[in-house]
Amino acid sequence: MFETVLYEVRNQVAYITLNRPDKLNAFTQQLNKEIQSAIKSASRDKDVRALVITGAGRAFCSGEDLAGVSDEMDHGEVLRKRYNPMLLELDRCEKPVIAAVNGVAAGAGMSLALACDFRIASEKASFVEAFIHVGLVPDAGNLYYLPRLIGHAKAMELAVFGEKIAADKAKDLGLVTEVYSFDNWNDHVASFAERLANMPTKAIGLIKRNLKASWHSNLEDYLERDAQSQRIAGQTVDHKEGVQAFMEKRKPLFKGE
C-alpha cells in the first residue's frame, strides 16, 4: 500500500512509521503524500481509536531531504502543495494522535511532532529547530504550535538559536508528556497508545475541537460551544457506560461510540 511508510493496526491503534531510515526519515514528496494518506485511512477506520506516528531506525524525522533542494525551488509552493495538505489532514483527525519520537526530530520533522496531540520521547530523542542554520524560517506549522506549547519567549529562543533540545529538557519545557527508556521503547509506546485507545474516543475528539476553538473564541461563543459539545457527548454509548460503571463501582469498558 505504501513505499515510504509502514502502516499497521494493532489493538485499536494505527502505527504510522516513517520508513526512510537510511535518510533519517527525511521528507520527500512521496513521504508527505503517504503520511497524509495513512492518517486519512486511520481516521476513517472504525477499528482505530488512536494513532501513533514514529520513525524507523535511529531518527524520528530529520526534516526536508536536502538532496531534493535546488536554487530554483519555490519553498512556499513546496509547503502549499506537500506539507499543508498533510498537516491539515492531521488537524482534521478527531482521534488522539501520538508522536512517538524515537530519535532526532529536526526541522519539519519537529513540526510534525508539534502538530500531534501528544509527544512521548525516547531517552535518545532530541528536538532541533534546524531552519535557522540554513537561513530559513520554521515552517510546516511550527511557529503556530510551538508558542502554544511552551510560550512566546521560549519559542523565540528555540527558533532563533536552533540548539538541540535533549529529551529531558524537552519534558521540562512541556514539549513532551513523558520520556521513556530506549530498551523498552516499543512497549512504552504501545502502553501509552492503548491507554488512549481504550478511552471515550468521541469525547477526546470533542476535547480536541474545543481546545482549538478556545484560541479564537470569545467567552460567550465558547460557552455555547461547551453546551453543544456536552449535548453530543451526553448522547454517546460511552457516556452511558461511564455512568453505569460508576454506579456499579467498576472500571468502565468504553467502545469509542
Side-chain angles (χ1 to χ4, degrees), residues 40-84:
K40 182 180 291 187
S41 294
S43 296
R44 292 176 173 177
D45 189 342
K46 293 181 179 179
D47 293 329
V48 170
R49 291 170 60 188
L51 289 69
V52 169
I53 299 177
T54 192
R58 59 191 179 91
F60 176 76
C61 176
S62 59
E64 177 69 13
D65 191 336
L66 295 181
V69 174
S70 66
D71 292 340
E72 295 76 29
M73 176 179 286
D74 184 330
H75 295 287
E77 281 304 298
V78 171
L79 290 168
R80 292 186 187 100
K81 292 179 179 179
R82 288 173 41 193
Y83 286 90
N84 293 4

Side-chain angles (χ1 to χ4, degrees), residues 161-247:
F161 291 109
E163 296 174 349
K164 181 182 288 189
I165 306 299
D168 288 342
K169 174 86 176 287
K171 187 175 188 298
D172 291 341
L173 288 171
L175 279 176
V176 301
T177 301
E178 194 56 81
V179 177
Y180 294 112
S181 66
F182 185 75
D183 290 341
N184 300 309
W185 170 243
N186 290 333
D187 292 339
H188 288 306
V189 172
S191 178
F192 189 94
E194 288 171 21
R195 176 185 176 189
L196 284 164
N198 285 295
M199 295 179 73
T201 312
K202 292 189 179 299
I204 293 175
L206 291 166
I207 289 169
K208 290 178 64 166
R209 285 192 210 176
N210 288 2
L211 279 170
K212 292 171 191 173
S214 72
W215 290 96
H216 53 78
S217 299
N218 60 44
L219 179 59
E220 184 176 2
D221 289 344
Y222 187 80
L223 290 174
E224 175 56 28
R225 173 177 285 274
D226 261 354
Q228 292 176 1
S229 298
Q230 205 66 303
R231 178 186 62 81
I232 294 168
Q235 295 174 346
T236 62
V237 172
D238 283 343
H239 169 62
K240 295 178 175 61
E241 165 62 10
V243 172
Q244 188 68 27
F246 178 82
M247 298 298 292

Side-chain angles (χ1 to χ4, degrees), residues 100-118:
V101 184
N102 53 302
V104 66
M110 179 170 172
S111 302
L112 176 61
L114 296 178
C116 295
D117 301 311
F118 301 91

Side-chain angles (χ1 to χ4, degrees), residues 139-152:
D139 61 22
N142 190 294
L143 296 183
Y144 178 86
Y145 292 107
L146 189 61
R148 286 165 165 76
L149 293 170
I150 64 172
H152 178 100

